[in-house]
Amino acid sequence: LQAQADALNAQVGFLTAKNRSSNAYASLRSIIGWDNGDPLPALASVAEPANADIPELGALLREGVKDRPDLAAARRNLDALRFSKHLAERNAGPTLSLEGSFTKWFSPEILESRALTLTLNGPFFDGGLSRAQARQAAMQFLAGEANYTQQERNARAEIEAAYATNVQ
C-alpha cells in the first residue's frame, strides 16, 4: 500500500510540475507579448556554469564532522561517559595499595622505624550494587555511542544535501 501511495504521490508531483511548466509558458508568452498561435522563437544556447571551485564531497564531510560544534559537544559527552564507565568499573572491584615508610630519630640513641603496609580493599557485601552501577555506566556509554553515531549520520546527511544543492 505504501508503494502504491508513493507511486500516486509521484504522479501528483509530475502533474503539478507539468502544470507549473504550462503556466510558466503561458506567462512567458504574456510577458513578451507573443500570440498563442505563433511558435516561440528559438532561444540562444547558454553555456553551463563551471563548478571548479567546489571542493570534493569527502573533504567537506571530514571537515564538517570535525568542526561542527554539536558533534564536538557530543564527543566530549561521550568521553565523559567513557570516564564514568571506567570509574564505576574501578569502584566495583577490589583495590590493592602498598605503602612504605621510614622514620629516623636523631637523639642520644639513634632510633629507626620502618613500616611496609599492604592493604586490600573491596566491596565485602553490597548486594551487587557496585557491579550493577558498573553495568549501568557501561550501558549509558553504549547508548551515548549510538546517539553520537546517529548525530554524525545526521550531520553527514545535512552536509551531503547542502553539497548537492550547491552543485545543482
Side-chain angles (χ1 to χ4, degrees), residues 26-88:
S27 294
L28 175 65
R29 286 182 166 280
S30 172
I31 289 170
I32 63 174
W34 213 262
D35 290 331
N36 280 341
D38 300 333
L40 285 173
L43 298 174
S45 61
V46 177
E48 286 286 325
N51 291 333
D53 297 12
I54 298 175
E56 172 189 338
L57 177 61
L60 292 174
L61 285 171
R62 283 188 297 277
E63 182 181 346
V65 168
K66 182 184 73 157
D67 292 342
R68 280 181 63 125
D70 58 338
L71 291 180
R75 282 191 292 272
R76 295 281 177 134
N77 187 33
L78 193 57
D79 289 340
L81 289 173
R82 183 180 295 114
F83 180 77
S84 296
K85 179 185 95 155
H86 290 310
L87 186 61

Short mmCIF file of all heavy atoms in Angstrom, two decimals, residues 26-88:
data_model
loop_
_atom_site.label_atom_id
_atom_site.label_comp_id
_atom_site.label_asym_id
_atom_site.label_seq_id
_atom_site.Cartn_x
_atom_site.Cartn_y
_atom_site.Cartn_z
N ALA A 26 2.78 30.00 -20.47
CA ALA A 26 1.74 30.99 -20.76
C ALA A 26 2.16 32.37 -20.23
O ALA A 26 1.95 33.39 -20.91
CB ALA A 26 0.42 30.56 -20.13
N SER A 27 2.78 32.40 -19.06
CA SER A 27 3.25 33.68 -18.51
C SER A 27 4.32 34.29 -19.39
O SER A 27 4.34 35.51 -19.61
CB SER A 27 3.78 33.49 -17.10
OG SER A 27 2.75 33.11 -16.23
N LEU A 28 5.24 33.46 -19.89
CA LEU A 28 6.30 33.96 -20.78
C LEU A 28 5.68 34.57 -22.03
O LEU A 28 6.06 35.66 -22.44
CB LEU A 28 7.26 32.82 -21.15
CG LEU A 28 8.33 33.16 -22.16
CD1 LEU A 28 9.29 34.21 -21.60
CD2 LEU A 28 9.08 31.93 -22.59
N ARG A 29 4.71 33.86 -22.63
CA ARG A 29 4.04 34.40 -23.83
C ARG A 29 3.39 35.75 -23.53
O ARG A 29 3.47 36.68 -24.31
CB ARG A 29 2.98 33.43 -24.34
CG ARG A 29 3.54 32.24 -25.04
CD ARG A 29 2.36 31.38 -25.53
NE ARG A 29 2.80 30.40 -26.47
CZ ARG A 29 3.04 30.61 -27.76
NH1 ARG A 29 2.89 31.80 -28.25
NH2 ARG A 29 3.45 29.66 -28.54
N SER A 30 2.77 35.83 -22.35
CA SER A 30 2.10 37.06 -21.98
C SER A 30 3.09 38.19 -21.75
O SER A 30 2.87 39.33 -22.18
CB SER A 30 1.27 36.83 -20.72
OG SER A 30 0.75 38.03 -20.23
N ILE A 31 4.20 37.88 -21.06
CA ILE A 31 5.19 38.91 -20.72
C ILE A 31 5.86 39.48 -21.98
O ILE A 31 6.02 40.69 -22.10
CB ILE A 31 6.24 38.34 -19.74
CG1 ILE A 31 5.60 38.13 -18.37
CG2 ILE A 31 7.45 39.26 -19.62
CD1 ILE A 31 6.46 37.36 -17.41
N ILE A 32 6.23 38.59 -22.91
CA ILE A 32 6.93 39.08 -24.10
C ILE A 32 5.96 39.49 -25.21
O ILE A 32 6.38 39.97 -26.26
CB ILE A 32 7.95 38.04 -24.63
CG1 ILE A 32 7.27 36.74 -25.08
CG2 ILE A 32 9.01 37.75 -23.60
CD1 ILE A 32 8.22 35.76 -25.73
N GLY A 33 4.65 39.31 -24.97
CA GLY A 33 3.66 39.74 -25.94
C GLY A 33 3.60 38.86 -27.18
O GLY A 33 3.43 39.35 -28.29
N TRP A 34 3.69 37.58 -27.01
CA TRP A 34 3.65 36.63 -28.12
C TRP A 34 2.26 36.03 -28.22
O TRP A 34 1.69 35.62 -27.22
CB TRP A 34 4.69 35.53 -27.88
CG TRP A 34 5.30 35.01 -29.13
CD1 TRP A 34 4.95 33.91 -29.81
CD2 TRP A 34 6.36 35.60 -29.85
NE1 TRP A 34 5.73 33.74 -30.91
CE2 TRP A 34 6.62 34.79 -30.97
CE3 TRP A 34 7.13 36.75 -29.70
CZ2 TRP A 34 7.60 35.06 -31.90
CZ3 TRP A 34 8.11 37.01 -30.62
CH2 TRP A 34 8.33 36.17 -31.71
N ASP A 35 1.72 35.98 -29.43
CA ASP A 35 0.39 35.41 -29.62
C ASP A 35 0.42 33.90 -29.43
O ASP A 35 1.43 33.23 -29.66
CB ASP A 35 -0.14 35.73 -31.01
CG ASP A 35 -0.47 37.21 -31.17
OD1 ASP A 35 -0.81 37.83 -30.14
OD2 ASP A 35 -0.36 37.72 -32.29
N ASN A 36 -0.73 33.33 -29.05
CA ASN A 36 -0.82 31.89 -28.81
C ASN A 36 -0.62 31.07 -30.07
O ASN A 36 -0.12 29.96 -30.01
CB ASN A 36 -2.18 31.54 -28.21
CG ASN A 36 -2.24 31.83 -26.73
OD1 ASN A 36 -1.21 31.96 -26.09
ND2 ASN A 36 -3.44 31.95 -26.20
N GLY A 37 -0.99 31.55 -31.19
CA GLY A 37 -0.89 30.79 -32.42
C GLY A 37 0.54 30.69 -32.97
O GLY A 37 0.87 29.77 -33.69
N ASP A 38 1.40 31.65 -32.65
CA ASP A 38 2.75 31.65 -33.19
C ASP A 38 3.69 30.87 -32.27
O ASP A 38 3.63 30.98 -31.05
CB ASP A 38 3.27 33.10 -33.31
CG ASP A 38 2.40 33.93 -34.23
OD1 ASP A 38 1.77 33.35 -35.13
OD2 ASP A 38 2.36 35.16 -34.03
N PRO A 39 4.59 30.09 -32.88
CA PRO A 39 5.57 29.37 -32.04
C PRO A 39 6.59 30.36 -31.47
O PRO A 39 6.89 31.39 -32.07
CB PRO A 39 6.22 28.38 -33.00
CG PRO A 39 6.01 28.97 -34.34
CD PRO A 39 4.75 29.78 -34.29
N LEU A 40 7.13 30.02 -30.30
CA LEU A 40 8.16 30.87 -29.69
C LEU A 40 9.45 30.78 -30.49
O LEU A 40 9.78 29.73 -31.05
CB LEU A 40 8.43 30.42 -28.24
CG LEU A 40 7.35 30.79 -27.21
CD1 LEU A 40 7.67 30.14 -25.88
CD2 LEU A 40 7.25 32.29 -27.06
N PRO A 41 10.21 31.87 -30.53
CA PRO A 41 11.49 31.80 -31.25
C PRO A 41 12.48 30.90 -30.50
O PRO A 41 12.36 30.69 -29.29
CB PRO A 41 11.95 33.26 -31.26
CG PRO A 41 11.28 33.89 -30.10
CD PRO A 41 9.98 33.18 -29.96
N ALA A 42 13.44 30.40 -31.22
CA ALA A 42 14.46 29.55 -30.60
C ALA A 42 15.30 30.39 -29.64
O ALA A 42 15.63 31.53 -29.92
CB ALA A 42 15.34 28.93 -31.68
N LEU A 43 15.62 29.81 -28.51
CA LEU A 43 16.42 30.51 -27.51
C LEU A 43 17.90 30.33 -27.82
O LEU A 43 18.33 29.30 -28.34
CB LEU A 43 16.11 29.98 -26.11
CG LEU A 43 14.67 30.16 -25.64
CD1 LEU A 43 14.46 29.47 -24.30
CD2 LEU A 43 14.33 31.64 -25.54
N ALA A 44 18.68 31.33 -27.48
CA ALA A 44 20.13 31.23 -27.65
C ALA A 44 20.67 30.23 -26.63
O ALA A 44 20.22 30.17 -25.48
CB ALA A 44 20.78 32.60 -27.46
N SER A 45 21.65 29.45 -27.04
CA SER A 45 22.22 28.46 -26.11
C SER A 45 23.10 29.17 -25.08
O SER A 45 23.79 30.14 -25.38
CB SER A 45 23.03 27.41 -26.88
OG SER A 45 24.10 28.06 -27.54
N VAL A 46 23.03 28.67 -23.87
CA VAL A 46 23.80 29.23 -22.76
C VAL A 46 24.73 28.15 -22.24
O VAL A 46 24.31 27.00 -22.05
CB VAL A 46 22.84 29.71 -21.64
CG1 VAL A 46 23.61 30.23 -20.44
CG2 VAL A 46 21.88 30.75 -22.17
N ALA A 47 25.99 28.51 -22.04
CA ALA A 47 26.96 27.53 -21.54
C ALA A 47 26.66 27.20 -20.08
O ALA A 47 26.19 28.05 -19.32
CB ALA A 47 28.36 28.09 -21.67
N GLU A 48 26.92 25.96 -19.72
CA GLU A 48 26.74 25.53 -18.33
C GLU A 48 27.77 26.24 -17.46
O GLU A 48 28.93 26.37 -17.84
CB GLU A 48 26.95 24.01 -18.22
CG GLU A 48 25.82 23.19 -18.76
CD GLU A 48 24.62 23.20 -17.85
OE1 GLU A 48 24.78 23.24 -16.62
OE2 GLU A 48 23.49 23.20 -18.38
N PRO A 49 27.38 26.68 -16.27
CA PRO A 49 28.36 27.31 -15.38
C PRO A 49 29.36 26.28 -14.87
O PRO A 49 29.03 25.11 -14.67
CB PRO A 49 27.50 27.86 -14.24
CG PRO A 49 26.25 27.07 -14.28
CD PRO A 49 26.05 26.66 -15.70
N ALA A 50 30.58 26.71 -14.69
CA ALA A 50 31.64 25.81 -14.20
C ALA A 50 31.58 25.74 -12.68
O ALA A 50 31.38 26.74 -12.01
CB ALA A 50 32.99 26.32 -14.66
N ASN A 51 31.77 24.55 -12.17
CA ASN A 51 31.78 24.35 -10.72
C ASN A 51 33.17 23.95 -10.26
O ASN A 51 33.34 23.05 -9.45
CB ASN A 51 30.78 23.26 -10.33
CG ASN A 51 29.35 23.70 -10.51
OD1 ASN A 51 29.06 24.88 -10.45
ND2 ASN A 51 28.46 22.76 -10.75
N ALA A 52 34.17 24.60 -10.78
CA ALA A 52 35.55 24.22 -10.46
C ALA A 52 35.92 24.55 -9.02
O ALA A 52 36.81 23.95 -8.45
CB ALA A 52 36.51 24.92 -11.41
N ASP A 53 35.23 25.52 -8.39
CA ASP A 53 35.59 25.95 -7.05
C ASP A 53 35.03 25.07 -5.95
O ASP A 53 35.36 25.25 -4.79
CB ASP A 53 35.13 27.39 -6.83
CG ASP A 53 35.81 28.37 -7.76
OD1 ASP A 53 36.47 27.92 -8.71
OD2 ASP A 53 35.67 29.58 -7.54
N ILE A 54 34.17 24.14 -6.29
CA ILE A 54 33.53 23.30 -5.28
C ILE A 54 34.49 22.18 -4.89
O ILE A 54 34.91 21.40 -5.73
CB ILE A 54 32.20 22.73 -5.80
CG1 ILE A 54 31.24 23.87 -6.12
CG2 ILE A 54 31.60 21.78 -4.78
CD1 ILE A 54 29.95 23.42 -6.74
N PRO A 55 34.83 22.09 -3.61
CA PRO A 55 35.74 21.01 -3.17
C PRO A 55 35.06 19.64 -3.26
O PRO A 55 33.84 19.54 -3.43
CB PRO A 55 36.05 21.36 -1.72
CG PRO A 55 35.35 22.60 -1.40
CD PRO A 55 34.48 22.98 -2.54
N GLU A 56 35.85 18.62 -3.08
CA GLU A 56 35.36 17.25 -3.12
C GLU A 56 34.47 16.97 -1.91
O GLU A 56 34.70 17.47 -0.81
CB GLU A 56 36.57 16.31 -3.12
CG GLU A 56 36.24 14.86 -2.96
CD GLU A 56 37.49 14.03 -2.74
OE1 GLU A 56 38.58 14.46 -3.10
OE2 GLU A 56 37.33 12.93 -2.19
N LEU A 57 33.43 16.17 -2.11
CA LEU A 57 32.47 15.87 -1.05
C LEU A 57 33.14 15.21 0.15
O LEU A 57 32.84 15.54 1.30
CB LEU A 57 31.34 14.98 -1.58
CG LEU A 57 30.30 14.53 -0.55
CD1 LEU A 57 29.59 15.73 0.07
CD2 LEU A 57 29.30 13.59 -1.18
N GLY A 58 34.06 14.29 -0.10
CA GLY A 58 34.73 13.60 1.01
C GLY A 58 35.47 14.56 1.93
O GLY A 58 35.42 14.44 3.15
N ALA A 59 36.16 15.53 1.34
CA ALA A 59 36.89 16.52 2.14
C ALA A 59 35.92 17.37 2.95
O ALA A 59 36.17 17.69 4.12
CB ALA A 59 37.74 17.40 1.24
N LEU A 60 34.79 17.74 2.34
CA LEU A 60 33.79 18.53 3.06
C LEU A 60 33.18 17.74 4.21
O LEU A 60 32.93 18.29 5.29
CB LEU A 60 32.70 19.00 2.10
CG LEU A 60 33.13 20.03 1.06
CD1 LEU A 60 31.99 20.29 0.09
CD2 LEU A 60 33.56 21.32 1.72
N LEU A 61 32.95 16.44 4.00
CA LEU A 61 32.40 15.62 5.07
C LEU A 61 33.37 15.50 6.23
O LEU A 61 32.98 15.64 7.40
CB LEU A 61 32.05 14.22 4.54
CG LEU A 61 30.80 14.12 3.68
CD1 LEU A 61 30.69 12.75 3.05
CD2 LEU A 61 29.56 14.42 4.51
N ARG A 62 34.66 15.26 5.94
CA ARG A 62 35.65 15.15 7.01
C ARG A 62 35.74 16.46 7.80
O ARG A 62 35.74 16.45 9.03
CB ARG A 62 37.02 14.79 6.43
CG ARG A 62 37.16 13.33 6.06
CD ARG A 62 38.59 12.99 5.69
NE ARG A 62 39.07 13.71 4.52
CZ ARG A 62 38.84 13.36 3.26
NH1 ARG A 62 38.14 12.27 3.00
NH2 ARG A 62 39.31 14.07 2.26
N GLU A 63 35.80 17.57 7.09
CA GLU A 63 35.92 18.86 7.75
C GLU A 63 34.64 19.21 8.53
O GLU A 63 34.71 19.71 9.66
CB GLU A 63 36.19 19.95 6.71
CG GLU A 63 36.38 21.33 7.30
CD GLU A 63 36.63 22.37 6.23
OE1 GLU A 63 36.92 22.01 5.07
OE2 GLU A 63 36.54 23.55 6.57
N GLY A 64 33.50 18.92 7.94
CA GLY A 64 32.23 19.23 8.60
C GLY A 64 32.02 18.43 9.87
O GLY A 64 31.59 18.97 10.89
N VAL A 65 32.34 17.14 9.83
CA VAL A 65 32.17 16.30 11.01
C VAL A 65 33.15 16.72 12.10
O VAL A 65 32.83 16.71 13.28
CB VAL A 65 32.33 14.81 10.64
CG1 VAL A 65 32.45 13.93 11.86
CG2 VAL A 65 31.15 14.35 9.79
N LYS A 66 34.34 17.11 11.69
CA LYS A 66 35.37 17.51 12.66
C LYS A 66 35.04 18.84 13.31
O LYS A 66 35.25 19.03 14.50
CB LYS A 66 36.73 17.58 11.97
CG LYS A 66 37.88 17.93 12.89
CD LYS A 66 39.17 18.07 12.14
CE LYS A 66 39.09 19.35 11.36
NZ LYS A 66 40.23 20.02 10.94
N ASP A 67 34.49 19.80 12.56
CA ASP A 67 34.33 21.17 13.04
C ASP A 67 32.96 21.52 13.58
O ASP A 67 32.79 22.61 14.13
CB ASP A 67 34.67 22.15 11.90
CG ASP A 67 36.14 22.12 11.55
OD1 ASP A 67 36.94 21.63 12.36
OD2 ASP A 67 36.50 22.59 10.46
N ARG A 68 31.96 20.67 13.43
CA ARG A 68 30.61 21.04 13.89
C ARG A 68 30.58 21.10 15.41
O ARG A 68 30.97 20.15 16.09
CB ARG A 68 29.59 20.03 13.41
CG ARG A 68 29.18 20.26 11.97
CD ARG A 68 28.17 19.27 11.54
NE ARG A 68 26.95 19.37 12.29
CZ ARG A 68 25.75 19.54 11.75
NH1 ARG A 68 25.64 19.62 10.45
NH2 ARG A 68 24.68 19.60 12.49
N PRO A 69 30.11 22.21 15.97
CA PRO A 69 30.09 22.34 17.44
C PRO A 69 29.20 21.31 18.13
O PRO A 69 29.54 20.83 19.21
CB PRO A 69 29.54 23.75 17.67
CG PRO A 69 29.71 24.47 16.38
CD PRO A 69 29.69 23.43 15.30
N ASP A 70 28.07 20.95 17.52
CA ASP A 70 27.20 19.96 18.16
C ASP A 70 27.87 18.60 18.25
O ASP A 70 27.74 17.90 19.25
CB ASP A 70 25.85 19.89 17.46
CG ASP A 70 25.96 19.52 15.98
OD1 ASP A 70 27.04 19.73 15.39
OD2 ASP A 70 24.97 19.05 15.41
N LEU A 71 28.64 18.23 17.22
CA LEU A 71 29.34 16.95 17.26
C LEU A 71 30.53 17.00 18.21
O LEU A 71 30.85 16.01 18.87
CB LEU A 71 29.80 16.55 15.86
CG LEU A 71 28.68 16.16 14.89
CD1 LEU A 71 29.25 15.77 13.54
CD2 LEU A 71 27.85 15.04 15.45
N ALA A 72 31.19 18.16 18.30
CA ALA A 72 32.29 18.31 19.25
C ALA A 72 31.75 18.15 20.68
O ALA A 72 32.37 17.47 21.52
CB ALA A 72 32.97 19.65 19.07
N ALA A 73 30.60 18.75 20.97
CA ALA A 73 29.99 18.59 22.29
C ALA A 73 29.59 17.14 22.54
O ALA A 73 29.76 16.62 23.65
CB ALA A 73 28.78 19.51 22.42
N ALA A 74 29.08 16.48 21.53
CA ALA A 74 28.69 15.07 21.67
C ALA A 74 29.91 14.20 21.92
O ALA A 74 29.85 13.24 22.71
CB ALA A 74 27.94 14.60 20.43
N ARG A 75 31.04 14.52 21.27
CA ARG A 75 32.27 13.75 21.52
C ARG A 75 32.75 13.95 22.96
O ARG A 75 33.19 13.00 23.62
CB ARG A 75 33.36 14.17 20.54
CG ARG A 75 33.20 13.56 19.16
CD ARG A 75 34.43 13.78 18.29
NE ARG A 75 34.62 15.17 17.94
CZ ARG A 75 34.08 15.76 16.86
NH1 ARG A 75 33.31 15.07 16.05
NH2 ARG A 75 34.32 17.02 16.61
N ARG A 76 32.66 15.18 23.47
CA ARG A 76 33.04 15.44 24.87
C ARG A 76 32.13 14.67 25.82
O ARG A 76 32.58 14.12 26.83
CB ARG A 76 32.97 16.93 25.18
CG ARG A 76 33.94 17.78 24.43
CD ARG A 76 35.29 17.69 25.09
NE ARG A 76 36.25 18.46 24.33
CZ ARG A 76 37.10 19.28 24.85
NH1 ARG A 76 37.15 19.43 26.15
NH2 ARG A 76 37.94 19.92 24.09
N ASN A 77 30.85 14.66 25.53
CA ASN A 77 29.90 13.93 26.35
C ASN A 77 30.22 12.43 26.34
O ASN A 77 30.15 11.77 27.36
CB ASN A 77 28.47 14.18 25.85
CG ASN A 77 27.44 13.60 26.78
OD1 ASN A 77 27.62 13.54 27.98
ND2 ASN A 77 26.34 13.14 26.21
N LEU A 78 30.59 11.93 25.18
CA LEU A 78 30.96 10.52 25.06
C LEU A 78 32.22 10.22 25.87
O LEU A 78 32.31 9.18 26.52
CB LEU A 78 31.15 10.15 23.59
CG LEU A 78 31.22 8.68 23.24
CD1 LEU A 78 29.97 7.95 23.70
CD2 LEU A 78 31.41 8.51 21.75
N ASP A 79 33.18 11.14 25.86
CA ASP A 79 34.39 10.96 26.68
C ASP A 79 34.03 10.94 28.17
O ASP A 79 34.59 10.15 28.93
CB ASP A 79 35.39 12.08 26.40
CG ASP A 79 36.04 11.96 25.04
OD1 ASP A 79 36.02 10.85 24.46
OD2 ASP A 79 36.57 12.98 24.54
N ALA A 80 33.09 11.81 28.58
CA ALA A 80 32.66 11.82 29.98
C ALA A 80 31.97 10.51 30.35
O ALA A 80 32.20 9.97 31.44
CB ALA A 80 31.73 13.00 30.22
N LEU A 81 31.16 9.98 29.45
CA LEU A 81 30.51 8.69 29.71
C LEU A 81 31.52 7.56 29.80
O LEU A 81 31.39 6.65 30.63
CB LEU A 81 29.47 8.39 28.63
CG LEU A 81 28.20 9.24 28.67
CD1 LEU A 81 27.34 8.96 27.44
CD2 LEU A 81 27.42 8.99 29.94
N ARG A 82 32.55 7.61 28.95
CA ARG A 82 33.61 6.60 28.99
C ARG A 82 34.34 6.66 30.33
O ARG A 82 34.62 5.63 30.96
CB ARG A 82 34.59 6.81 27.84
CG ARG A 82 35.68 5.75 27.76
CD ARG A 82 36.65 5.99 26.61
NE ARG A 82 35.98 5.86 25.33
CZ ARG A 82 35.79 6.85 24.46
NH1 ARG A 82 36.22 8.07 24.72
NH2 ARG A 82 35.17 6.64 23.32
N PHE A 83 34.64 7.86 30.78
CA PHE A 83 35.31 8.03 32.08
C PHE A 83 34.44 7.51 33.20
O PHE A 83 34.92 6.82 34.11
CB PHE A 83 35.67 9.51 32.29
CG PHE A 83 36.34 9.76 33.60
CD1 PHE A 83 37.68 9.44 33.78
CD2 PHE A 83 35.63 10.31 34.66
CE1 PHE A 83 38.30 9.65 34.99
CE2 PHE A 83 36.25 10.54 35.87
CZ PHE A 83 37.59 10.21 36.05
N SER A 84 33.15 7.82 33.17
CA SER A 84 32.22 7.34 34.21
C SER A 84 32.17 5.82 34.22
O SER A 84 32.10 5.20 35.29
CB SER A 84 30.83 7.91 33.98
OG SER A 84 30.83 9.30 34.12
N LYS A 85 32.20 5.23 33.04
CA LYS A 85 32.18 3.76 32.94
C LYS A 85 33.43 3.17 33.59
O LYS A 85 33.35 2.25 34.40
CB LYS A 85 32.09 3.34 31.48
CG LYS A 85 32.08 1.84 31.27
CD LYS A 85 32.12 1.48 29.81
CE LYS A 85 33.53 1.26 29.46
NZ LYS A 85 33.90 0.44 28.40
N HIS A 86 34.60 3.74 33.27
CA HIS A 86 35.85 3.22 33.85
C HIS A 86 35.88 3.43 35.36
O HIS A 86 36.33 2.55 36.10
CB HIS A 86 37.06 3.89 33.20
CG HIS A 86 37.28 3.48 31.78
ND1 HIS A 86 37.31 2.17 31.36
CD2 HIS A 86 37.50 4.21 30.67
CE1 HIS A 86 37.52 2.11 30.06
NE2 HIS A 86 37.63 3.35 29.61
N LEU A 87 35.38 4.55 35.82
CA LEU A 87 35.35 4.82 37.25
C LEU A 87 34.42 3.85 37.97
O LEU A 87 34.77 3.31 39.04
CB LEU A 87 34.90 6.26 37.50
CG LEU A 87 34.95 6.75 38.93
CD1 LEU A 87 36.37 6.71 39.48
CD2 LEU A 87 34.41 8.17 39.00
N ALA A 88 33.27 3.56 37.41
CA ALA A 88 32.33 2.61 38.02
C ALA A 88 32.92 1.21 38.03
O ALA A 88 32.76 0.47 39.00
CB ALA A 88 31.00 2.63 37.27
#
